[in-house]
Each structure stands twice: as structure tokens, then as C-alpha cells.
Amino acid sequence: MNIFTSIPDLAQVHAPVHLAIGVFDGVHRGHQAVIANAVASAQEHGGEAVLVTFEPHPIQILAPDKAPRTLTSHAHQMRLVAEQGVTQTLVIPFDKAFSRRSGEEFVGLLVNNVAQIISIHVGEDWCFGHQRSGTVDLLEEQGAKHGFHVHAVPHVAWRDETVSSTLVRRAIQDGNLARARDLLGRDFTLSGVVQQGKQLARGFGFPTANIPLGNLQLPPFGVYVSRVTIADQCYGAIVNLGVRPTLDNAGAMPLLEVHLFGFEGDLYELSLEVPLLKHLRAEQRFEDLEALKTQIANDMTTAKAWLASSA
């Protein structure tokens, strides 16, 4: 997938364009509906489906004290978007200067830098531009002026609730993996780049890939079962999410520690996507490292049994 980082870059797309515009944090079922609408329009009428989004999340700039944790890292979001059939994405660097552009100015920038916009696809209540001056009504006015169609995609309901990033965050925070899976339309995953740790688990005979988690929305700390794909090979895994209290890590940042069953090799600097499939137990502090080692062995046995039963 081609990723552009400025609106003028869109001039490189020579085919007629069908734009899907939004923040798309989490790429949940509602976001997928907007993207699918643009992809279908491109297939029906010819041209390219191009996704337009923003990095960082606008609320992190406009109201950082109210900004929620993100559901996906930027790299993870791009992978998910590509899986929806998008081959061109514009990621607009969002800052204070950009936030001062009106909705009409933003549309004007798109129109002036794209050879031909055939359609624009957004959620039915999406607002954009300075002081939320951009609305579906404004898009329709601009569409009549510049010759593009506007598709306001209705909310997606799941079990009588409107799917939203807020609902997904709540489900994750509560540890309700089944509900998060329903809202996302896929397993909930944590992702990041493997970094070198203290290699304590390696000394136990359980080497782990250590992944810092930044500002991601996290479920309750504890031990989880996973299946992780590396180079088209799937490995069962046991995952510890937390701050490792047995090691007296006062003030430590949350870390994801992933032990892959049967894997041998170097994972440093590799980006891993780790689905959390089953919660085994809460994080706890053990009396000593020997007790921790014993519990890890028990957790591995439980995890392998669950993986075998759910294969």
C-alpha cells in the first residue's frame, strides 16, 4: 500500500479517486463499513479507493487532557486498512496549524490536489475542520459545486448498540474480549516492535519477546493465550501483560511479554501483532523467582491445553 503524508502527494494518483475520510482508530466494524463503501464505489465506477486519515489522533492535539488511549498503533492501523482492500492512503500530520483550517478549506485542498474526485465517503455524523465547521451538509454543498458524490455511511449496529471506538475501549478496559471481538469484527490484538529486555525469562527457560505498548488501550493486566503469526507460520503463545511486580518494578511502564511455543530465532526489532484470545489469570506478585517460574510452567500447560481444544 502506498502511504502519502501530504495532500499534494495525491496528485500522484492519476486515476479517478473515491475518498474514505475519517480517523479510523481501531478500524472497527463502523470504520470498515465506510472503507468498504469507498472500495465498492471504486470497483463499480472505476478508479482508486483512497483512505484519508490523520496522525496523531486530532483530540491528542486539540484536547490532550481528554484524549483517550488509542486502539491501534499507526503501523497496525495501516495494516488493517490494507486488509480492507485500500491501496492508497493519505496520512495527514495533524497539528495546531492544520486544525485551524475550516471544513471548506480542507475540501478545497483535496479538490485542488486530486485530478478527479468521484466520491467522498464518511460516517453519517462525521465532522471536520476548525470548530467542526465541516459536516455532511457542507460536503454535499461542495460536491454539487465540484462534481463529486457524497456517501454518508450509516452507523453500524451490533446487538442493538452503535459500534464506536468508545464502546471498543470500554470492552477492552473491562477485559471483555468477546465483546471487543464482536465490535471490531476480529480478535483484539496488541502490537509493537520487539525490544531487548533483561532476559530473565530466558534464564528460566521461557524466552520472551518484549514489546513496549506506548499509549495503547490495554485490558486488565494478567496472563493471556495467543496465536502469533511470523513469516506465515502460526505459533501458539502465552502472553504476560503488566509491570512484573515480582521484580519490584516500581513505576515500570506496562510491557507485553510473549513466549512462542516451538519458536527458535531472533525477533528483535520485528513488529509483532499479538491477539489476546483467552485470559488465564490476573497479574500477581510471587514470593520469589522460583514461585514465579513454577507458575509460568503451569500457565504454559494450561495455555497449550486451551489451544489444543480450540484448534
Side-chain angles (χ1 to χ4, degrees):
M1 182 174 69
N2 293 325
I3 299 177
F4 306 118
T5 56
S6 72
I7 293 176
D9 289 343
L10 290 178
Q12 298 176 41
V13 183
H14 301 297
V17 165
H18 305 257
L19 299 175
I21 309 177
V23 177
F24 303 114
D25 179 30
V27 196
H28 55 59
R29 289 184 185 272
H31 297 149
Q32 292 167 31
V34 174
I35 297 168
N37 209 267
V39 170
S41 183
Q43 292 172 343
E44 180 179 355
H45 302 290
E48 289 269 5
V50 178
L51 184 134
V52 179
T53 190
F54 309 89
E55 176 66 20
H57 193 301
I59 197 170
Q60 293 181 9
I61 301 299
L62 300 175
D65 55 325
K66 298 179 181 179
R69 290 184 173 272
T70 57
L71 294 172
T72 47
S73 67
H74 175 62
H76 186 198
Q77 182 189 41
M78 292 299 97
R79 289 196 297 272
L80 292 170
V81 165
E83 290 173 3
Q84 300 301 309
V86 174
T87 58
Q88 314 277 353
T89 292
L90 167 63
V91 181
I92 298 173
F94 195 88
D95 55 20
K96 288 280 190 178
F98 190 85
S99 75
R100 288 190 282 270
R101 295 186 182 277
S102 69
E104 188 170 347
E105 284 181 285
F106 175 56
V107 175
L109 285 171
L110 294 173
V111 169
N112 290 333
N113 286 280
V114 176
Q116 183 183 14
I117 299 177
I118 299 296
S119 61
I120 292 181
H121 307 255
V122 297
E124 64 180 350
D125 60 356
W126 190 62
C127 293
F128 59 98
H130 184 58
Q131 295 184 339
R132 300 171 66 84
S133 58
T135 61
V136 170
D137 287 342
L138 174 70
L139 282 176
E140 290 176 341
E141 292 172 9
Q142 294 297 304
K145 178 179 178 180
H146 297 291
F148 60 78
H149 299 282
V150 176
H151 298 264
V153 180
H155 293 300
V156 172
W158 186 259
R159 295 181 180 173
D160 298 325
E161 287 190 287
T162 298
V163 176
S164 68
S165 295
T166 298
L167 280 186
V168 177
R169 286 190 192 92
R170 190 177 304 151
I172 294 168
Q173 189 172 10
D174 292 344
N176 192 336
L177 298 179
R179 179 167 170 74
R181 185 182 303 115
D182 285 344
L183 297 170
L184 289 167
R186 65 178 184 280
D187 290 322
F188 167 65
T189 64
L190 291 171
S191 65
V193 177
V194 178
Q195 296 186 4
Q196 187 166 356
K198 298 179 180 179
Q199 299 188 327
L200 179 62
R202 183 178 298 275
F204 288 172
F206 316 124
T208 60
N210 299 324
I211 303 174
L213 295 167
N215 192 45
L216 291 175
Q217 177 64 61
L218 302 178
F221 291 169
V223 177
Y224 294 82
V225 185
S226 182
R227 289 188 180 94
V228 179
T229 300
I230 301 172
D232 296 325
Q233 179 69 42
C234 184
Y235 296 89
I238 189 167
V239 177
N240 184 76
L241 168 65
V243 294
R244 299 161 295 167
T246 304
L247 305 180
D248 292 321
N249 284 330
M253 297 298 292
L255 185 71
L256 195 69
E257 299 173 287
V258 185
H259 175 69
L260 302 167
F261 302 141
F263 177 83
E264 294 182 3
D266 185 355
L267 296 173
Y268 293 138
E269 301 306 320
L270 184 70
S271 180
L272 285 189
E273 188 171 333
V274 183
L276 301 188
L277 305 178
K278 170 72 174 177
H279 181 250
L280 293 186
R281 64 173 176 84
E283 183 175 53
Q284 64 189 97
R285 180 186 176 91
F286 293 92
E287 293 182 2
D288 52 40
L289 294 181
E290 193 61 33
L292 173 60
K293 180 179 177 180
T294 299
Q295 184 60 58
I296 292 173
N298 292 337
D299 292 338
M300 289 175 61
T301 299
T302 305
K304 289 178 179 178
W306 186 87
L307 288 164
S309 67
S310 63

